[in-house]
Amino acid sequence: MKWINKTVFTACMAGALLGAQQVNGQLKKEEIITAINETAGYVSGVLLDEEGKSRCDYNLTEGKWYPYEVPWHTGQAVNALLAAYKVTHNEAYLAAAKKGGNYWISMEIKDNPKLNGMVKAIHGDVLGPDFVVFATVSDGTPGIYELSKVTKDPKYAQVATNAAAWMMKNMYDKDKGICYDNLNIITGEVLKEYSPFWKQKAMKDQELYDVSRPNTEGSLFKDAYEFSKDTAFRNAFIVLCNSLLKLQGPDGVWMRFMPNSEEEHSFHPRFSLWYAESLIEAYKLTGDKKYLEGAAHTARTFAKAQKKDGTIYYDNYTNGRASDKGSATGSAAALAGIVWIALSENGYKEFDKSIEKSATWLMKNRYAQDHPDPNLRGAVLETRTRSKEGKIWLTNRDIGTSFAVRFFADYLAFKYK
């Protein structure tokens, strides 16, 4: 493999990214629509393969795609494409969303009495082919429910609701206010005493919050309730949101639950934002402002983590430690912006400057349409640097673009009503 000098690589990357124009401190409407089309064009034309599933991680040094939690990433792509379709009415985006949705519902299990109704949404990556993670399913479902709404075809939402019913029966514990994280798809066993996420911990040393969390990622139970009208889903969603508020830390993030780390004082660039997003959904469902304030508590921590130029890095710390600048996370700038916009629309104007920083950053940090590598044209920067088998694994991850499409659509409505 031919390695390239990091300084040269950074300069080449900067030269291949776009600029942004502002009028009276505000991005122009036409520029935002162009950004929606360019990013959605990338999602529909590059990210989704011929089967409709997301390609996920593009290795920048090899020029190759690698899968990474494919069902989750595919659901995010579907959600993004539908946001773009509602703005542009471009049928190509809807067609691609249907292709992704058809792949997603093809995972439904129909031939195993123990698992029927669940989806075979394999996590992959560090967990291998045997495990389904609750959030891999739940956080991939907002786009699936939205697809049924847009197409007026209930088959997509029905499959997601069948999975929600299986998960509520087998992975949700009302009394503890949690959902167990992992399902062994081979045996059908929900892991309640040992999580493969904690390989360094023996089973006897693992506790409840090592194997579970008050998981509302994707607001699956809320969407299942609104589709099915089954109040059991609504009740479960509220129980979990109340558990979130109870377990929320003083910094507004949930440090007890991986991928955050109490020991390292570190928090993941999106994990707590998904919980904040679900708390906003709880407010919409109930009208109770305690959920909004819980979301705002999280949002303030991310406003502090955002740099002056709008960047949010992958690793963030509550103890003042500097972020690792090797992984600029476009999806975090976008998802934080989505949450900040929702809060601003509900009176939290304190986040307006952060919203503008995200908008400018996402406009600037996109690969140009004439980039020499067609695998990157139109993508939003989402660098992830890891080490695998003694080799530096430098990727541009797909979700920077999927979340950016949603942000641009929300930002357009926010600024140009």
Side-chain angles (χ1 to χ4, degrees), residues 29-67:
K29 181 178 181 180
E30 296 77 11
E31 186 182 21
I32 302 167
I33 294 172
T34 295
I36 292 172
N37 277 309
E38 290 178 353
T39 50
Y42 177 75
V43 175
S44 62
V46 178
L47 285 188
L48 294 185
D49 68 11
E50 60 278 358
E51 295 181 65
K53 65 180 186 295
S54 176
R55 298 181 194 276
C56 302
D57 274 7
Y58 185 64
N59 188 304
L60 292 161
T61 54
E62 294 182 347
K64 294 181 181 179
W65 287 97
Y66 289 88

Side-chain angles (χ1 to χ4, degrees), residues 127-254:
L127 295 190
D130 295 347
F131 296 102
V132 170
V133 177
F134 189 101
T136 302
V137 178
S138 66
D139 208 22
T141 55
I144 305 306
Y145 280 102
E146 186 65 21
L147 187 56
S148 276
K149 292 176 185 176
V150 172
T151 63
K152 297 181 171 55
D153 186 341
K155 69 181 181 183
Y156 303 104
Q158 188 60 63
V159 171
T161 301
N162 293 343
W166 194 96
M167 294 162 78
M168 186 168 68
K169 179 180 179 181
N170 294 282
M171 302 181 82
Y172 165 65
D173 190 313
K174 174 185 175 182
D175 295 332
K176 296 174 182 175
I178 53 87
C179 294
Y180 290 99
D181 284 333
N182 299 303
L183 161 69
N184 186 314
I185 201 68
I186 306 301
T187 65
E189 177 192 7
V190 174
L191 305 187
K192 297 184 177 182
E193 296 181 357
Y194 172 77
S195 169
F197 279 119
W198 295 99
K199 291 183 174 67
Q200 73 276 21
K201 277 190 176 184
M203 182 183 295
K204 64 182 179 61
D205 295 326
Q206 294 199 19
E207 302 171 348
L208 177 65
Y209 293 154
D210 292 322
V211 299
S212 70
R213 39 188 159 173
N215 205 329
T216 57
E217 288 186 36
S219 301
L220 171 58
F221 291 159
K222 173 183 178 286
D223 284 337
Y225 160 66
E226 292 179 339
F227 174 73
S228 69
K229 308 306 178 188
D230 184 344
T231 56
F233 286 123
R234 183 187 191 278
N235 295 339
F237 180 68
I238 295 303
V239 165
L240 292 171
C241 286
N242 288 339
S243 186
L244 280 182
L245 293 181
K246 179 181 178 182
L247 295 169
Q248 188 176 34
D251 292 296
V253 292
W254 289 267

Side-chain angles (χ1 to χ4, degrees), residues 1-32:
M1 179 185 299
K2 183 178 179 181
W3 293 93
I4 54 180
N5 180 276
K6 184 176 180 181
T7 303
V8 173
F9 176 75
T10 303
C12 290
M13 293 272 284
L17 298 175
L18 301 175
Q21 297 178 353
Q22 291 186 323
V23 177
N24 297 324
Q26 181 169 296
L27 294 170
K28 295 190 294 185
K29 181 178 181 180
E30 296 77 11
E31 186 182 21
I32 302 167

Side-chain angles (χ1 to χ4, degrees), residues 255-416:
M255 298 299 288
R256 179 60 184 85
F257 303 101
M258 57 81 60
N260 294 344
S261 171
E262 283 183 313
E263 183 179 357
E264 297 293 330
H265 303 279
S266 65
F267 60 96
H268 185 273
R270 294 178 308 271
F271 170 56
S272 297
L273 287 170
W274 286 316
Y275 282 177
E277 190 176 35
S278 73
L279 290 174
I280 295 171
E281 292 301 311
Y283 167 71
K284 292 177 184 177
L285 187 65
T286 66
D288 193 330
K289 290 189 175 181
K290 71 181 181 182
Y291 300 115
L292 269 186
E293 186 50 42
H297 193 24
T298 305
R300 292 181 186 112
T301 292
F302 279 84
K304 293 177 183 177
Q306 187 184 40
K307 307 308 177 186
K308 289 182 180 180
D309 65 356
T311 306
I312 298 179
Y313 292 109
Y314 193 87
D315 296 307
N316 304 277
Y317 299 91
T318 59
N319 62 355
R321 178 178 168 182
S323 299
D324 173 13
K325 295 184 179 180
S327 295
T329 309
S331 61
L335 182 56
I338 290 167
V339 170
W340 290 327
I341 287 172
L343 287 167
S344 179
E345 290 175 334
N346 282 282
Y348 290 82
K349 300 301 181 183
E350 66 192 87
F351 299 116
D352 285 3
K353 290 183 179 179
S354 297
I355 294 167
E356 297 303 328
K357 286 195 288 186
S358 280
T360 301
W361 192 93
L362 291 164
M363 279 290 181
K364 288 181 177 180
N365 289 280
R366 293 178 292 128
Y367 291 90
Q369 294 297 301
D370 60 354
H371 191 282
D373 188 340
N375 290 287
L376 294 171
R377 293 173 191 160
V380 168
L381 196 68
E382 174 98 5
T383 55
R384 186 77 179 98
T385 306
R386 299 191 293 172
S387 177
K388 295 183 72 172
E389 299 178 354
K391 183 173 71 175
I392 298 300
W393 199 259
L394 177 61
T395 62
N396 198 76
R397 185 160 288 176
D398 61 324
I399 51 171
T401 312
S402 292
F403 280 98
V405 175
R406 288 180 54 205
F407 172 83
F408 286 136
D410 286 359
Y411 183 76
L412 181 68
F414 179 63
K415 302 300 289 189
Y416 296 96

